[in-house]
Amino acid sequence: MRVQTNSSDVGRCGCGRREYCDGSHGLTEAQWQALKAKEREAAGQQPASAEPKKAG
């Protein structure tokens, strides 16, 4: 049997959790949910230096 490599699949993960492979397929469901919650929390927070200064 001959297997062909699809170059567009290089670096992609088959687990469906991410569009790229970062090892998250090795996490349990509880660990995955905790990681997603942590990422959502981090995405919602802006660094203090990025906040616009209030006039006055």
Side-chain angles (χ1 to χ4, degrees):
M1 180 200 289
R2 187 172 167 184
V3 178
Q4 293 182 344
T5 302
N6 184 349
S7 61
S8 65
D9 288 339
V10 174
R12 294 183 64 101
C13 190
C15 75
R17 289 182 169 172
R18 300 216 191 258
E19 291 186 16
Y20 55 90
C21 188
D22 66 347
S24 61
H25 55 268
L27 300 175
T28 65
E29 185 61 26
Q31 290 170 324
W32 172 242
Q33 294 301 325
L35 177 62
K36 285 185 6 181
K38 184 177 178 181
E39 289 175 346
R40 280 193 301 270
E41 182 181 320
Q45 295 177 349
Q46 297 288 328
S49 62
E51 294 179 12
K53 292 185 179 183
K54 295 180 181 178

